[in-house]
Amino acid sequence: MTNAAATGLPFDDIRALLRSLPEPQEHAAAHAAERNRQLIKPEGSLGRLEEINAWLASWQTGGAPAVTRPMVALFATSHGVALRDGAAPRIEATRRMMEALAAGGAAVNQLCVAHELGLKIFDLAIDHPTPDISSAEALPEADCAATMAFGMEAIAGGTDLLILGDLAIGNGIVAAAICLALYGGAAEDWLCAAPGDDAASLGRKASLVREAVAFHAGHLSDPLEVLRRLGGREVMAIAGAILAARHQYIPVLLDGHVVCAAAAVLHAINPAVLDHCLAAHRSPDAAHGRLLEKLAKAPLLDLGIKLGEGTGAALAVGLVKAAVQCHSGMATHEQAAVTAG
């Protein structure tokens, strides 16, 4: 990313990247589709597994689809708006969860072991919550752009499949506010229930979402303004990671509602920006399904998972690996001395 000072406002570089998106490698996708036709199975009989292989080939530089260096990038932070929802004691719980992740004790750690995934955990100022978005901007433009740039750099070191996850108390409120600002409707349309939520707590969260969007009314026509005013550091970093992955030809698996809210900001600017992304799963909350419809993404899995932390997307890697194994390991009609007929 070039120096923002050389181009004007901090978001100028982000807009430039969004205008200059690399195109999919159609020849590689066509080659993958041709191999699918040669394998000893009826054409199209492996369903979305065949689609996954064509997608991987389009967004990897090796030609044939492969998953040899998959990585989960998990972004953790805290939100000032959560303090108004009575979550102050739970911010410390985020720190303890980070420690459990570092020690290998969380659900996503087990999925990383099961599917041989790398895991990087990024602490985005957990001990310093962003301001309460119902009465202040989350971050100034320069800080938001810098946080996006941090997300871009987070994938340094190389990967051939990026799995994105989030960890923060109150990020459901932030995700719902972003969706309400982008798509309209009612606050309740975009809220996902957290474990332990009852009607009263969901009502409080909906009120905070409405207050936040109302406070920033008149400044939300630009999706990047939506991001900096209503987003959290993890949402900003995830948006940056998605954009960087596109420019580096790295396919992406999107996890749950918060990750998809980050993707929605980019999609609102340029819908083609998510062509290198698949929705890994759909959580049981209607808001996540509604958001996937807005993004035109059909989930790979629908298992009732709502934990966050990249778990649904990490689980979907097994499906992606299975698709690649079928693509590369199955015999062709020629190899098996079987005619296509």
Side-chain angles (χ1 to χ4, degrees):
M1 188 168 170
T2 57
N3 189 331
T7 58
L9 296 174
F11 281 151
D12 287 353
D13 292 310
I14 305 297
R15 298 186 203 283
L17 290 171
L18 285 161
R19 288 192 301 267
S20 59
L21 296 175
E23 295 294 328
Q25 301 176 117
E26 299 291 355
H27 64 284
H31 187 270
E34 177 57 30
R35 176 166 174 80
N36 271 321
R37 286 189 287 270
Q38 295 172 5
L39 299 178
I40 51 170
K41 61 174 182 59
E43 186 172 345
S45 59
L46 285 179
R48 290 198 72 186
L49 296 188
E50 299 182 20
E51 173 193 323
I52 289 170
N53 282 309
W55 167 73
L56 282 173
S58 296
W59 297 109
Q60 294 180 330
T61 56
V67 180
T68 61
R69 294 179 299 155
M71 184 189 75
V72 177
L74 180 59
F75 298 93
T77 191
S78 55
H79 301 276
V81 71
L83 303 180
R84 281 194 58 198
D85 191 39
R90 290 186 285 156
I91 288 180
E92 176 57 31
T94 303
R95 171 64 63 193
R96 291 196 299 271
M97 190 64 200
M98 282 278 288
E99 293 169 356
L101 282 158
V108 71
N109 296 109
Q110 317 321 312
L111 295 172
C112 287
V113 171
H115 296 308
E116 299 180 306
L117 314 179
L119 174 62
K120 290 184 178 180
I121 307 166
F122 300 96
D123 179 345
L124 298 173
I126 286 177
D127 299 323
H128 301 281
T130 49
D132 177 0
I133 60 170
S134 67
S135 58
E137 301 171 359
L139 286 181
E141 181 174 331
D143 291 350
C144 178
T147 306
M148 294 181 74
F150 179 87
M152 293 176 184
E153 294 298 325
I155 61 175
T159 178
D160 55 15
L161 180 63
L162 178 63
I163 300 97
L164 292 170
D166 62 275
L167 175 64
I169 300 299
N171 58 9
I173 297 171
V174 166
I178 289 172
C179 291
L180 182 61
L182 292 177
Y183 303 122
E188 292 79 1
D189 294 339
W190 301 110
L191 268 174
C192 291
D197 273 342
D198 56 18
S201 59
L202 282 173
R204 288 194 302 273
K205 289 181 178 181
S207 294
L208 288 172
V209 171
R210 284 190 291 270
E211 286 182 42
V213 174
F215 179 82
H216 298 282
H219 303 281
L220 301 176
S221 59
D222 178 355
L224 289 177
E225 280 293 298
V226 171
L227 179 64
R228 81 166 187 89
R229 288 172 177 272
L230 299 175
R233 295 186 183 96
E234 85 283 41
V235 181
M236 299 168 190
I238 288 168
I242 291 171
L243 188 54
R246 174 59 172 265
H247 279 268
Q248 296 180 36
Y249 278 96
I250 299 171
V252 174
L253 287 179
L254 304 173
D255 192 51
H257 189 229
V258 175
V259 172
C260 289
V265 172
L266 302 177
H267 184 266
I269 300 170
N270 184 348
V273 73
L274 300 184
D275 288 352
H276 67 304
C277 302
L278 288 184
H281 78 116
R282 175 170 48 217
S283 77
D285 293 286
H288 188 210
R290 193 172 289 117
L291 179 52
L292 291 177
E293 290 176 4
K294 291 290 187 181
L295 299 179
K297 297 292 182 185
L300 295 178
L301 300 174
D302 191 348
L303 299 176
I305 294 172
K306 58 188 304 179
L307 178 59
E309 302 169 17
T311 49
L315 185 60
V317 176
L319 186 61
V320 176
K321 285 190 170 186
V324 171
Q325 185 60 42
C326 287
H327 184 83
S328 61
M330 285 180 67
T332 64
H333 289 291
E334 182 179 2
Q335 289 168 333
V338 177
T339 65

